Each structure stands twice: as structure tokens, then as C-alpha cells.
Amino acid sequence: MRRVYLDHSATTPVDPEVASLMMTYYTEKYGNPSSIHSFGQEVRNAVEQARHQVAALIGAKPDEITFTSGGTEADNMAILGVADAYRKKGRHIITSAVEHHAVLDTCEYLAKNGFELTILPVNEEGIVSVEDLAQAIRPDTILISIMHANNEVGAIQPIADIGKLAQEHKVLFHVDAVQSLGKIPVNVKEMNVDLMTVSSHKIYGPKGVGALYIRKGIRLVPLFHGGGQEKKRRSGTENAPGIIGFGKACELAGRRMAAEAAELKILRDKLLQGILDKIDYVKVNGPLGDSRLPNNVNVSIRFVEGESLLLSLDMLGIAASSGSACTSGSLDPSHVLLAMRMPHEIAHGSLRFSLGRQNTEEDIDYVLEQLPKIVERLRMMSPLYDQMKQAQ
Amino acid sequence: MRRVYLDHSATTPVDPEVASLMMTYYTEKYGNPSSIHSFGQEVRNAVEQARHQVAALIGAKPDEITFTSGGTEADNMAILGVADAYRKKGRHIITSAVEHHAVLDTCEYLAKNGFELTILPVNEEGIVSVEDLAQAIRPDTILISIMHANNEVGAIQPIADIGKLAQEHKVLFHVDAVQSLGKIPVNVKEMNVDLMTVSSHKIYGPKGVGALYIRKGIRLVPLFHGGGQEKKRRSGTENAPGIIGFGKACELAGRRMAAEAAELKILRDKLLQGILDKIDYVKVNGPLGDSRLPNNVNVSIRFVEGESLLLSLDMLGIAASSGSACTSGSLDPSHVLLAMRMPHEIAHGSLRFSLGRQNTEEDIDYVLEQLPKIVERLRMMSPLYDQMKQAQ
Amino acid sequence: MYSAKVMDHFMNPRNVGEIPDADGIGEVGNAKCGDIMRIYLDIEGNTIKDVKFKTFGCGAAVATSSMVTEMVKGKTIDEALTITNAAVAEALDGLPANKMHCSNLAADALHEAIKNYKEKEKAKG
Amino acid sequence: MYSAKVMDHFMNPRNVGEIPDADGIGEVGNAKCGDIMRIYLDIEGNTIKDVKFKTFGCGAAVATSSMVTEMVKGKTIDEALTITNAAVAEALDGLPANKMHCSNLAADALHEAIKNYKEKEKAKG
Ligand SMILES: Cc1ncc(COP(=O)(O)O)c(C=O)c1O
Ligand SMILES: Cc1ncc(COP(=O)(O)O)c(C=O)c1O
């Protein structure tokens, strides 16, 4: 059976070049980078090279990069670490309604523990308003946390404008760039960012590795206590093969990004247009054009439910994802789609295709051949489709 | 040049079988285990198998295992998580003076934040007294954290006795078993352990993975907020290849442990006896015989400094470690050796050889050939050696 | 995630459709929650002669709907009333824990349809 | 970790040893801290004709000791007094940050030895 993976925003395969580099560090150069012997020092050098590679992709200095176990840890470290270090300065934090749970839930944890939280709304395309943000800033605001690109609908936020605003008000600015890294240009200096989260497994690097950019001079209370690795910011034996793999993945991403984004946009637009042409009652979620990640397609297919779509696609070898409540076992569909003021019943039928490096035109053709049949089958079963037809 | 790695307590190479299994999950079976499509579900199944493998090695049930990014995270999760969840019951914690920094520093962080800490002393072999512990337990004690085997001197603590005591007093008992796992039998039920830390990279699994055993029914406040993976205990995209590698490493360790321990003991004793025979003014650190890990040799070589020994060994291809202050950049030598009441100047000259699976008799012969020459050279330079000679 | 039986009933659902002028129709759930199940019954005497369903919902919702129609066909009303959601799940070799509450409503829809039938019968007098 | 120069001076230290009846002896550090450096000077006129050292300590301690003896041989006392710990570290192509404070004491030991020489001279009258 043909297998078509269109869930790259969930995770990506590891690039073969990255994987084979990692192998060397698993089985041959396996020393602990904190050891002073040569088994350790050869790994230390490679870890520091990786720090350069990650820093280069986001316009940072190497010593501003702290490696973590992933995006979630980096988000927690940034938000909890700033809250703890700057609590005497103030206790107000601003974020948006469409953040990843690693940001939103962390902020909400703080809101239950002595902090005040403003959650900015978004417009129907999922984009935060800079004016709203300007009005939300208070004298006791210590942190603004806004993502660069949204993982569900691909909406790109006006980060540079927010960064300027944050700087003017001397408020720290954290950006979750997990989804934008390697897909669109990211530059902490140009965007006036103080803290930035990135994650390896979204850019063809290994799972279980991420990094937090911490602008020089910013204090953070660490999440872990222990051996004092990563300049005391992140204790624990360094995941050297993972870090080295992440570094390589950043290097590759930097080299390939421009060409890849152009190709992905063509496939993205072909897929989206094809769906709109072949299936009726479809709503596009998120912005169009340059405010959207080059690899994201998100649609709501009315009168059918997302998990059913996913399962049916999966039976044909196609992997996608959905903001349907059923895919997460919760009762509510995606908080992102709801924040975009989409009615529950339409949000349940949402479908995200996130494209990647190895996808081809044939993959897209295959989806466009199969998806309409699936939708037709499910709609034949759907009492909602009946109702709509009868109402016409 | 011959290369002899004798620093397995710092980290181990990844077993080739483990590494090649991981490769499959990096490049072919790369789905996100939380995804419902088959790319995700095939990985989910492998992650659950790994959970079984880890559980089996410590006598736990699979759903009592939570995967983490390593031993440090698991130690922090256990101690901070219990402290937060049980703070209403009491605020007293007991630990020992020879714990790893991941435990000791976490307890000390709590001591600065409203908790009370009793740090138990150890005897000259590095072993905690169960009587001391019995006397330290108070009505408001909520947690005892004692390691199974010490990473520096290989001392094995009377965990089962402590477990019984903890159970009698209804105090939660956390054990850091990072160094004992795979080397000596570990069983959470027989030892009456409530929480246990294990780490993959010490048993020929990958770095960046560990696990916390949490006995059913124990509450823990999570360290990270986010996607709610690992039954909400540990958010963040699962490091599936790492977890699967760790599971395999546990399976291999379980199969090989008995035979391997017997072989390691022979090499260990040969190395120790050889050092004592060939070099004078040497002190053995830690207990002898069955109270010692089968792979640990730790000696203090008087009148020379540990880092010099390490560097000299390294120039000959031999990797070891030291409790010398100089190896860590701090001013004090190993807190473990100091807790064993060793004078600073002797602690500075400590040397740890930690043996592993691929070491041979020839490796030991090589060390026994080179080490005496190194010591002689360094003692020729040492003003302390002069002083001692003159005093005679 | 799902058992082979669930996937079979999801991909090849039995008795999809409507019964024109059905003797009983039952519907549970709503679009807001992501699940709607509608069951149509054709009843002769006390026996369920035919049964059809339409469902909007996840894999479990479709599969349980399909399964309940198979379980109930040819049964008497009283027998049908003894079928529980749990029994439907069991007949499918179980459902994931997080699906047991939100999507396992097919027996409820069946019971609603029987109630609807009884009410109609009563109205006829 | 260490530069090639540090490793060279550590593995092949210059001027190890003692000078019997040295004109000046300087010692810094103590065993508790893990570093002791002792410098012996042979001085003729105002010139350092010979210099030897003995050191207990880490790689940096040995290398800086060795380096300072090289730097100072043949120099006048006044020239020797201008040599700083930083200059010794620099001559070794630098030291790791965490070594700059605890193990980079060789110039101090040299200065102590010169002080010792001057005191002896004074005592002689
Ligand atoms: C926007 C965003 N932030 C954070 C995360 C969490 O990163 P990780 O999976 O590396 O923990 C993800 C992905 O899961 C994400 O898409
Ligand atoms: C006893 C002990 N506990 C905890 C740790 C920390 O584990 P990890 O390196 O996986 O963070 C180590 C090793 O570094 C250890 O030896």
C-alpha cells in the first residue's frame, strides 16, 4: 500500500545524514561531554559545534543556547523560569489563546499560583492583534509569550511588531518558534526576542531534544537541580547524540529552507485548491498566502467528523491530523479553532495536512483522489448531511 | 594507541543491538506515538513494549513507569513532585550526604523554600545507618530519598531495610537506582520502594532517557505542563526512539546481569589488587565485597592530584574519573569522599575506574602497567611526596 | 488504538441508512460534542424486523452504531432493552478507555428508538 | 579542554626539581585546595640564573609552574616581578575559565620566591 505521511507538524522523520551522524555518537564516540578525558572531550567539541549550528539558524550567539529535552521543556523553562526570577518585579503575564498547551497550560498553572494572566484573543484567521497586546501591557507585566507560527492552522504572528512593543515597554518576550523554525526565517535579534523555544523533531532532527534561546543577561530559575550542566541552566547528563543530531538538522534546514519552502508552497496550494474543487461545504482554516506556513493545509469538512476522516485516510495509508475532540479524548475540539470563533460542530470536522521534505506531487494526487470518496462515504452515513439536504 | 574506557559510571556506549533498533525508529517508524494514524500507532506499541521491559527489570507494573529525559529529571520529578503534592501532610524530608547532586541539590532547593531537611551521615565506607534513619523520622516526614548504589565509591545501601522502616512509618520512599540498575538485582516490591529513578545511558541505552517508577496510588505534581503525555505525568512529545532503546537495553541487562556481574567482579578485584600491589600509599575508598558494585574501583593515591592522574592516563588512552575538585572546577573535592570523613588532600587524589561490558583482562593489565609509572612521575614532581619522604 | 473488530465495523458498517416511515426513531448526542447517532427501527409484533442507523462521529461512534444494529436485529423489544453500552463495547472486543464515555452511546440510541416506538403505539391507542 | 601548549607543559614539564640551598623559595596553595606550587630560584647579581619547581595539582597547576620557570630564566628580578598569572596563562594559549582562579598561581609562587630571596638578602645585611 502507498504510504503518504502528511503529519510533519506532529513530527518528522530524522534526516538520514543526521541519523548516521548520531549513530557514531551512540556507539563509537560515546563519552560523557562533562568528562575531561578524550572520550568526553571529543563529544564536548561536537556538542559545542551543535550549539553554533542551532544559534546560527536563529541569529543568536552560541552561549545564548541552552539545550533541553524538547519544545515542551523549553517552553516551561522560559515561562516558569522568568516568573520565578522576576516575581519581585511583577506578576502579570500575557499570552494568546492559540498557543500550544506547553505555553498555555504553563501560564495557567502560574495563574493558579499567584500570577495574573491575560490571554489575548485572535481574529478569525488565528492572528493576534498588536493593538490588543499594547492595551494589555501593564506596569507589572513581566512576560509576553506569543508563538511565531501556529501548529494547527499555520498562522504566522506579527512577531517583529510585538518584539518592538515589548522592548519599548521593557517586558521580556518569549516566542515559541517550534513550528516556524526551518520553514520561514527566524531571527531573534531582528525580532527583538528575549527567549525562544525550538524543537528538533519538527525539523528532521531526533525527538527528545530542543533548545531555549536566552538572551544574554536574562536571569532564569532552572527547572532541574543537579550536576549543573549547560552552565547550571539545565542539569542532567547531556543528550549528546541528540544535541549533535539537532545541530546537524539545523545546519541542513538553514541550507535548504528557501528552496524547500518554495516547493512546499506549490504542493500546499495544489492540495488546498484540489480539496476546494472536489469537495463542497469545505471551509479553509487560517490565513492564506504569506501569513501561513508553507507546509500547512487546514480545512473543515462539514457534516463529517475529524477522527472518522483520519481513520479512513489511514486505511489508505495517508497520515494526517485533526482538531476533533475525539482525537484527543477530550470533549472539546481544538482550542485554536474555537478561539478563531469556529462553531464546535465545524471544528470537529477539521483536518490538517502538514507537508514535508519528501512529499511529492503524486502524494498530493493520491490524497485528492481518495479524500473525496471518503467524504462521500462518511456523509452518506451522516445525519447532519441529511438534515442539510432536506433543509435545502 | 590502545583505548581503554573505564568510566562506565559516567556513561556507557549504546549496545549495537539497541542502536540499530533505534535507527529504525528514527528514519522509518518515525510517527508521533500520540497520533492515531498507523505511523503513530506502530510507535505507540513499541513504546508500550519498552514500558514493559523497563518495568520487568525492576519488578514493577508497566503503568507504574513514567519516561523522562534522564535520571536527573526523574530525581527532580520524584522529590519536587512529592513535596508539592504532600506539603499539607508535612514538610520534612530525609536524604543522605552521599546522594547524587540531582537528589541533594533538589532537596536543598526545597530546604530554601519552606521544607526541612535532614541529611544523614554515612560511615567511612559510605553507608547510611538504618538506626540513624529511624531516629530521623518525624511525624511530619513525607519523603525519604536514599540511593541504591553510590556512583563514586560503589557503596550499596541497605535499601530493603530502609524500605521496611519507611513503610512502617508510612513515609514515602524514593530510591535513586541509576547506578545499581543492570548491575545488581533491583526490585521495587521486595525493597518496599515507592518511587525509583533509573537512567538509560548507564546501562548501554541512549543518553537523554530515564524513567521514574511511581507506585500506583501516589500523587505527584508534574514538572512540565503541556500536551499531557505519559498519562499527564510528563508532557512533551515522547522521545520514542530513546524510550524504545532504553526498553531494549533493560531487556538485555536483565538477561546478562548475572553473568556480567561475575565477570566484572573478577576484573574489579584484579585491578584493585594490582594497584595495591604495585603502588604504595594507596587507600581503597568504599566497602569491599558484596556491599560494593561489581564494576567499581575507587582509590586515593596519596601525594598526587586526581586531575593530573586523569590527564596522564588519558594521554595513554585510558579513561577514568576522579573526585578531585579540579575535575569539576569547584574548590572542594567530592562531597561523597568528604562525607566519608576523608581529609581534603587525600580526596583530591582519588581515582575511579568503572568497568563495563567490553572490558578485558588485557585492559586491566594495560592500566596496571601504566598507572605505576604515572604515579611515579607525578610523585617526583610533588612537594608533598618530598615532605613525606623527609619526615620518614 | 482500536480493535480489529471496531475497524471492521467502522470501515464496513452494517445497516447504514434510513427506514422510511420507521416505527421508531431514536437520536442521542449532538454536533457540538462531535457525536450524533440516529437509529431507525422496523418493528413487527414485538420483534425488530429491520434496523438502520446514521451516525456523525468518530470511529467508535460509527462502530458501536453498526454493532448495535447487528445485535438487535431479530430480537424482541424486551431483549433489545437489555443491551447496554458496555455490552456493545464488549462485542467489539473493547474500546479505548477515553472512548467509553463520550462515544459509546449506541445502546442509548436504540433505547430511545424503542421508547419512541412505544410512545407512537400509545398515541395510536 | 586544555590547549596543546598546556598539555605539552603538563606532560613534559620544564625545570622540575629542587635547587639545593636555593637563594629563594616560594610556595603558594595548600593540599586542602588541591594545589601546591613551590619555586626554587638561583640568583646571581640581579639575574635569575636557574629556576626549578615542584607542584602538586591539576594539569593547569603543573603547566603554569613549568611555563613560569621558562619565562623567568635569565631575567632580572625586576623583570620577573612584572610577570603576572594572566601573562602565564596567555603564554600557554589560555586556560579554561574555571582554572583561571584556582590553579593559575605560578606567578604568585615566583613572586613569593623573590620575596623570600629579598628577605634573606636583607637578613644577611
Ligand atoms: C508550537 C509548539 N510548541 C511546542 C511544542 C512542543 O514541543 P515538543 O514536542 O518538542 O515537546 C509543539 C509540538 O508538539 C508545538 O507545535
Ligand atoms: C546516582 C546517580 N543519580 C542520578 C544521575 C543523573 O542521571 P542522568 O545523567 O541520566 O541525568 C547519575 C548520573 O549522572 C547518577 O550516577
Side-chain angles (χ1 to χ4, degrees):
Chain A
M1 186 177 62
R2 189 179 184 105
R3 290 188 95 194
V4 178
Y5 186 75
L6 292 167
D7 201 11
H8 292 84
S9 291
T11 195
T12 56
V14 173
D15 186 282
E17 207 177 321
V18 170
S20 82
L21 180 66
M22 289 177 67
M23 276 315 260
T24 308
Y25 287 88
Y26 278 130
T27 58
E28 290 165 38
K29 302 185 177 181
Y30 51 78
N32 186 322
S34 298
S35 300
I36 69 170
H37 46 62
S38 54
F39 287 84
Q41 291 301 305
E42 67 189 0
V43 180
R44 165 60 55 204
N45 294 339
V47 165
E48 296 314 316
Q49 195 199 333
R51 207 183 301 279
H52 274 82
Q53 289 165 321
V54 175
L57 189 57
I58 63 170
K61 294 188 223 89
D63 63 355
E64 294 174 319
I65 301 296
T66 300
F67 288 110
T68 69
S69 70
T72 297
E73 183 186 334
D75 279 339
N76 276 261
M77 184 172 169
I79 295 167
L80 299 177
V82 162
D84 209 352
Y86 292 85
R87 61 197 316 149
K88 285 200 183 118
K89 209 187 142 223
R91 293 182 166 236
H92 181 236
I93 291 172
I94 301 173
T95 188
S96 90
V98 295
E99 297 301 309
H100 190 271
H101 281 293
V103 166
L104 215 45
D105 292 12
T106 305
C107 288
E108 273 161 6
Y109 168 83
L110 285 173
K112 284 197 205 101
N113 287 275
F115 286 78
E116 279 182 69
L117 185 61
T118 299
I119 300 179
L120 298 175
V122 293
N123 67 15
E124 293 192 358
E125 294 189 331
I127 294 180
V128 167
S129 137
V130 180
E131 291 78 56
D132 285 354
L133 177 62
Q135 287 186 352
I137 297 177
R138 313 189 317 205
D140 62 339
T141 306
I142 55 171
L143 181 67
I144 298 167
S145 180
I146 304 284
M147 72 200 319
H148 191 187
N150 184 268
N151 45 308
E152 295 190 26
V153 299
I156 298 170
Q157 305 294 345
I159 291 302
D161 294 341
I162 298 173
K164 238 167 83 186
L165 200 63
Q167 205 184 33
E168 280 163 24
H169 288 81
K170 298 201 167 56
V171 177
L172 292 180
F173 181 30
H174 168 245
V175 172
D176 178 335
V178 168
Q179 291 292 342
S180 54
L181 187 76
K183 301 200 190 85
I184 55 174
V186 171
N187 188 299
V188 292
K189 298 286 178 262
E190 286 167 16
M191 292 171 167
N192 277 316
V193 171
D194 297 302
L195 300 130
M196 180 177 278
T197 294
V198 291
S199 178
S200 158
H201 72 100
K202 311 280 188 186
I203 63 156
Y204 309 93
K207 293 176 180 62
V209 194
L212 184 63
Y213 157 79
I214 309 170
R215 187 196 285 270
K216 205 165 199 139
I218 292 179
R219 285 175 293 132
L220 275 196
V221 176
L223 283 177
F224 300 167
H225 313 276
Q229 287 88 345
E230 293 290 290
K231 298 222 178 88
K232 300 208 160 66
R233 293 208 131 135
R234 206 284 184 179
S235 287
T237 299
E238 298 90 336
N239 177 0
I243 289 169
I244 294 162
F246 183 24
K248 188 75 189 173
C250 284
E251 185 207 310
L252 297 178
R255 284 214 302 266
R256 298 181 186 170
M257 183 161 63
E260 221 164 72
E263 284 167 34
L264 286 172
K265 270 185 197 168
I266 292 170
L267 293 183
R268 172 194 73 183
D269 294 342
K270 179 185 163 97
L271 177 57
L272 180 59
Q273 199 51 54
I275 292 174
L276 291 172
D277 288 349
K278 297 191 167 198
I279 307 175
D280 51 5
Y281 305 105
V282 170
K283 184 184 170 327
V284 182
N285 301 322
L288 295 176
D290 281 345
S291 293
R292 184 180 204 100
L293 282 179
N295 74 327
N296 176 291
V297 170
N298 192 313
V299 291
S300 285
I301 300 185
R302 295 199 57 181
F303 318 119
V304 296
E305 192 277 333
E307 193 203 89
S308 300
L309 287 167
L310 292 188
L311 289 175
S312 305
L313 287 165
D314 188 44
M315 296 305 286
L316 297 164
I318 301 166
S321 83
S322 168
S324 149
C326 281
T327 62
S328 63
S330 73
L331 285 175
D332 282 322
S334 152
H335 69 284
V336 173
L337 298 179
L338 294 184
M340 289 158 67
R341 284 182 280 284
M342 185 177 296
H344 276 67
E345 54 270 34
I346 303 182
H348 283 296
S350 77
L351 202 52
R352 177 188 73 181
F353 297 102
S354 43
L355 286 65
R357 208 169 264 177
Q358 86 281 38
N359 289 137
T360 60
E361 274 214 59
E362 288 72 46
D363 290 344
I364 304 303
D365 289 334
Y366 182 61
V367 175
L368 289 176
E369 182 193 324
Q370 301 299 339
L371 183 61
K373 294 190 240 169
I374 291 169
V375 172
E376 196 189 339
R377 188 180 87 85
L378 291 173
R379 282 183 176 165
M380 290 304 296
M381 270 195 248
S382 168
L384 295 177
Y385 193 63
D386 281 356
Q387 269 166 25
M388 184 276 300
K389 285 281 176 202
Q390 279 158 16
Q392 274 181 344
Chain B
M1 186 177 62
R2 189 180 183 104
R3 289 189 95 194
V4 177
Y5 186 76
L6 291 168
D7 201 11
H8 292 84
S9 290
T11 196
T12 57
V14 173
D15 186 281
E17 206 176 322
V18 170
S20 81
L21 181 65
M22 289 176 67
M23 276 316 258
T24 309
Y25 287 88
Y26 278 130
T27 57
E28 291 166 38
K29 302 184 178 181
Y30 51 78
N32 186 322
S34 297
S35 299
I36 69 170
H37 46 62
S38 54
F39 287 84
Q41 291 301 306
E42 67 189 1
V43 179
R44 166 60 53 205
N45 294 340
V47 165
E48 296 314 316
Q49 194 198 334
R51 207 183 300 280
H52 274 83
Q53 289 165 321
V54 175
L57 190 57
I58 63 169
K61 293 187 223 91
D63 63 356
E64 294 174 318
I65 302 297
T66 300
F67 287 110
T68 68
S69 69
T72 297
E73 184 186 333
D75 280 340
N76 276 262
M77 184 172 167
I79 296 167
L80 299 177
V82 163
D84 208 352
Y86 292 86
R87 63 198 315 151
K88 284 201 183 119
K89 207 186 143 224
R91 294 182 165 235
H92 180 236
I93 291 173
I94 301 173
T95 188
S96 90
V98 296
E99 298 301 309
H100 190 271
H101 280 295
V103 167
L104 215 45
D105 292 13
T106 305
C107 289
E108 274 161 6
Y109 168 82
L110 285 174
K112 284 196 206 103
N113 288 276
F115 285 79
E116 280 182 70
L117 185 61
T118 299
I119 300 178
L120 298 175
V122 293
N123 67 14
E124 294 192 358
E125 294 189 331
I127 294 180
V128 167
S129 138
V130 179
E131 290 78 56
D132 285 355
L133 176 63
Q135 287 186 351
I137 297 176
R138 314 189 318 205
D140 62 339
T141 306
I142 54 170
L143 180 67
I144 298 167
S145 181
I146 304 284
M147 71 201 317
H148 191 188
N150 183 268
N151 43 308
E152 295 190 26
V153 299
I156 297 170
Q157 305 294 346
I159 290 303
D161 295 341
I162 298 173
K164 238 166 83 185
L165 200 64
Q167 204 185 32
E168 279 163 26
H169 288 80
K170 298 200 167 57
V171 177
L172 292 180
F173 182 31
H174 168 245
V175 172
D176 179 333
V178 167
Q179 290 292 341
S180 55
L181 188 77
K183 301 199 190 84
I184 55 174
V186 171
N187 188 299
V188 291
K189 298 285 178 266
E190 285 166 18
M191 292 171 166
N192 277 317
V193 172
D194 297 301
L195 300 130
M196 180 176 278
T197 294
V198 291
S199 178
S200 157
H201 72 100
K202 311 282 188 185
I203 63 157
Y204 309 93
K207 292 175 181 61
V209 194
L212 184 64
Y213 156 78
I214 309 170
R215 188 196 284 272
K216 206 164 200 143
I218 292 178
R219 284 175 293 131
L220 276 195
V221 176
L223 284 177
F224 299 168
H225 312 275
Q229 287 88 346
E230 293 290 290
K231 297 221 177 90
K232 300 208 161 66
R233 292 209 132 135
R234 206 283 184 180
S235 287
T237 299
E238 297 91 335
N239 176 359
I243 288 169
I244 293 163
F246 183 23
K248 187 76 190 170
C250 284
E251 185 207 310
L252 296 178
R255 284 214 302 266
R256 297 180 185 171
M257 182 160 63
E260 220 163 73
E263 285 167 33
L264 286 171
K265 271 185 197 167
I266 293 170
L267 294 183
R268 172 193 74 182
D269 293 343
K270 178 184 164 100
L271 177 58
L272 181 59
Q273 200 50 53
I275 292 174
L276 292 173
D277 289 347
K278 299 192 167 198
I279 307 174
D280 51 5
Y281 304 106
V282 171
K283 186 185 171 326
V284 182
N285 301 322
L288 295 176
D290 282 345
S291 294
R292 186 182 202 98
L293 282 179
N295 74 327
N296 175 290
V297 170
N298 191 314
V299 291
S300 285
I301 301 184
R302 296 200 55 180
F303 318 119
V304 294
E305 193 276 332
E307 192 202 89
S308 300
L309 287 167
L310 293 189
L311 289 176
S312 305
L313 287 165
D314 188 43
M315 295 305 286
L316 297 162
I318 301 167
S321 83
S322 169
S324 150
C326 281
T327 61
S328 63
S330 73
L331 285 174
D332 283 322
S334 152
H335 69 285
V336 173
L337 299 177
L338 294 183
M340 291 159 67
R341 284 181 282 284
M342 183 177 299
H344 275 67
E345 53 271 35
I346 303 182
H348 282 298
S350 77
L351 202 53
R352 178 188 73 181
F353 296 102
S354 43
L355 286 65
R357 208 170 262 178
Q358 86 280 39
N359 289 138
T360 61
E361 274 214 60
E362 289 71 47
D363 291 343
I364 304 303
D365 290 335
Y366 182 62
V367 174
L368 290 175
E369 183 193 323
Q370 301 299 340
L371 183 61
K373 294 189 241 171
I374 290 169
V375 172
E376 198 189 337
R377 189 180 86 85
L378 291 174
R379 281 184 177 165
M380 291 304 295
M381 269 195 248
S382 169
L384 295 176
Y385 192 64
D386 280 356
Q387 270 167 24
M388 184 276 299
K389 285 283 175 200
Q390 280 158 14
Q392 275 181 344
Chain C
M1 187 173 76
Y2 286 128
S3 71
K5 234 180 198 164
V6 171
M7 285 311 293
D8 176 37
H9 276 268
F10 171 69
M11 290 304 288
N12 310 296
R14 303 9 166 202
N15 308 307
V16 177
E18 294 172 41
I19 298 177
D21 305 318
D23 297 315
I25 301 181
E27 183 175 306
V28 296
N30 63 61
K32 213 180 154 198
C33 296
D35 283 310
I36 301 179
M37 300 179 185
R38 193 184 293 164
I39 296 232
Y40 302 84
L41 295 176
D42 175 2
I43 297 177
E44 253 173 51
N46 251 333
T47 304
I48 296 172
K49 279 211 50 185
D50 199 11
V51 49
K52 299 259 183 217
F53 81 91
K54 285 231 165 170
T55 287
F56 164 85
C58 66
V62 172
T64 52
S65 304
S66 165
M67 177 52 88
V68 90
T69 61
E70 284 237 303
M71 289 169 80
V72 85
K73 209 185 262 187
K75 291 255 162 70
T76 66
I77 288 178
D78 287 345
E79 286 166 341
L81 283 171
T82 67
I83 296 174
T84 60
N85 290 331
V88 176
E90 203 179 310
L92 287 164
D93 295 342
L95 287 175
N98 62 7
K99 297 288 184 178
M100 286 302 281
H101 294 294
C102 61
S103 308
N104 185 13
L105 304 168
D108 294 349
L110 169 68
H111 299 166
E112 284 297 315
I114 294 174
K115 199 169 133 202
N116 175 254
Y117 162 73
K118 286 185 173 169
E119 278 163 8
K120 280 191 191 164
E121 288 296 295
K122 220 184 211 161
K124 284 187 203 161
Chain D
M1 186 172 76
Y2 286 128
S3 70
K5 237 183 195 160
V6 171
M7 285 311 293
D8 176 37
H9 276 266
F10 171 70
M11 290 304 287
N12 310 296
R14 295 24 158 194
N15 308 307
V16 176
E18 294 169 41
I19 297 176
D21 304 320
D23 297 315
I25 301 182
E27 182 175 307
V28 296
N30 62 62
K32 213 181 153 198
C33 296
D35 283 309
I36 302 179
M37 300 180 184
R38 194 183 292 163
I39 297 233
Y40 302 84
L41 296 176
D42 176 2
I43 296 177
E44 252 174 53
N46 252 332
T47 304
I48 296 171
K49 279 213 48 187
D50 199 10
V51 51
K52 298 262 184 215
F53 80 92
K54 285 232 166 171
T55 287
F56 163 85
C58 66
V62 172
T64 52
S65 305
S66 166
M67 178 51 91
V68 89
T69 62
E70 286 237 302
M71 288 168 80
V72 85
K73 209 186 263 186
K75 291 257 163 69
T76 67
I77 289 178
D78 287 345
E79 285 167 343
L81 283 171
T82 66
I83 296 174
T84 61
N85 290 331
V88 176
E90 203 179 310
L92 286 165
D93 295 344
L95 286 174
N98 62 6
K99 297 289 183 179
M100 287 301 281
H101 294 293
C102 61
S103 308
N104 185 14
L105 305 168
D108 294 349
L110 169 68
H111 299 166
E112 283 297 316
I114 294 173
K115 199 169 131 203
N116 175 253
Y117 162 73
K118 285 185 172 170
E119 277 162 9
K120 280 188 191 169
E121 289 295 295
K122 220 184 212 163
K124 284 186 202 164

